[in-house]
Amino acid sequence: EVQLAESGGVVVQPGGSLRLSCAASGFTFDDYTMHWVRQAPGKGLEWVSLISWDGSRTDYADSVKGRFTISRDNSKNSLYLQMNSLRSEDNALYYCVAVVLATAFWGPGTLVTVSS
Amino acid sequence: NFMLTQPHSVSESPGKTVTISCTRSSGSIASNYVQWYQQRPGRSPTTVIYEDNRRPSGVPDRFSGSIDSSSNSASLIISGLKTEDEADYYCQSSDSTNRVVFGGGTQLTVL
């Protein structure tokens, strides 16, 4: 069974930094591309970033490009999102998503609150 | 990049069939697979349809998906509606570089 567990979400001031983590289990982690997707309170889903199985390819939504960095450690079955220069519009529940054999699996999410 | 447009909300009675549309703004709907996700209140999304019309194991066959090139849209069809189907539904596709695009979501009310 695919399991994803995000952590690291806290309250942070505008301009601050945060690192989210996602622990994966139940599948061969280093075979698959991983994504971060976020959902602002009461809003829809917004894709944030992806990283290829070996980390050689990354991509970002325009709204976070230059501020967020995605990475992974296949030896630890873990995905990360380094978030810098945080803004109020980054307030959201952040989901780790694995697409395994064409089916997307979502974690429970971790809440990031940007507030002074 | 392209956009995916969904109706904001739909409603239907239990036992009936509802169709939720997802229209692609540019480029062919058939050029990249479409997925559909169900999100019940307070829960994470789950996949109900992948690769246009395939169901993950455990998803009832009341859920089906299709694409229509003439209208450049995808559809999620839910038959035999149950109250437990009440949720937000999101379509999703990708562009040529595998960047992910979500529709704005449709709130389904079963009343």
Side-chain angles (χ1 to χ4, degrees):
Chain A
E1 179 190 5
V2 173
Q3 293 195 337
L4 301 164
E6 303 91 339
S7 61
V10 292
V11 179
V12 60
Q13 291 189 339
S17 298
L18 200 55
R19 190 196 198 203
L20 305 183
S21 300
C22 171
S25 62
F27 65 105
T28 307
F29 181 73
D30 55 11
D31 275 355
Y32 297 101
T33 294
M34 297 292 295
H35 299 259
W36 287 100
V37 175
R38 68 185 181 183
Q39 187 170 33
K43 302 296 185 183
L45 301 173
E46 179 188 15
W47 173 76
V48 173
S49 183
L50 70 81
I51 185 166
S52 60
W53 67 274
D54 62 351
S56 63
R57 180 182 171 234
T58 60
D59 204 353
Y60 302 89
D62 290 344
S63 57
V64 307
K65 195 173 291 185
R67 300 188 298 123
F68 289 11
T69 302
I70 191 171
S71 61
R72 66 191 296 162
D73 185 339
N74 288 343
S75 69
K76 295 182 178 178
N77 284 1
S78 292
L79 175 71
Y80 306 101
L81 186 68
Q82 178 67 42
M83 309 164 68
N84 298 332
S85 303
L86 282 161
R87 306 167 179 167
S88 58
E89 53 263 40
D90 298 319
N91 259 320
L93 187 63
Y94 283 74
Y95 295 105
C96 168
V97 182
V99 182
V100 179
L101 299 177
T103 302
F105 294 88
W106 303 65
T110 187
L111 185 63
V112 173
T113 303
V114 183
S115 173
S116 54
Chain B
N1 216 346
F2 63 90
M3 294 173 55
L4 297 172
T5 301
Q6 302 179 231
H8 180 70
S9 62
V10 296
S11 62
E12 190 51 90
S13 303
K16 299 291 190 179
T17 297
V18 70
T19 300
I20 299 172
S21 63
C22 171
T23 302
R24 179 166 170 157
S25 61
S26 62
S28 171
I29 191 71
S31 61
N32 302 89
Y33 284 125
V34 175
Q35 282 64 236
W36 289 91
Y37 305 108
Q38 176 191 68
Q39 187 177 32
R40 293 188 172 114
R43 307 292 299 272
S44 300
T46 61
T47 303
V48 292
I49 294 291
Y50 68 98
E51 292 184 347
D52 295 341
N53 55 20
R54 303 181 71 176
R55 273 188 316 277
S57 62
V59 174
D61 60 7
R62 301 185 296 104
F63 290 80
S64 61
S66 66
I67 63 167
D68 180 357
S69 295
S70 66
S71 58
N72 213 35
S73 65
S75 294
L76 173 67
I77 305 105
I78 311 172
S79 60
L81 274 170
K82 300 183 176 184
T83 54
E84 69 202 46
D85 299 330
E86 195 161 279
D88 293 330
Y89 291 85
Y90 294 89
C91 62
Q92 174 262 309
S93 191
S94 301
D95 67 15
S96 56
T97 63
N98 283 333
R99 292 179 125 215
V100 172
V101 179
F102 287 102
T106 299
Q107 183 178 51
L108 169 63
T109 303
V110 181
L111 39 63

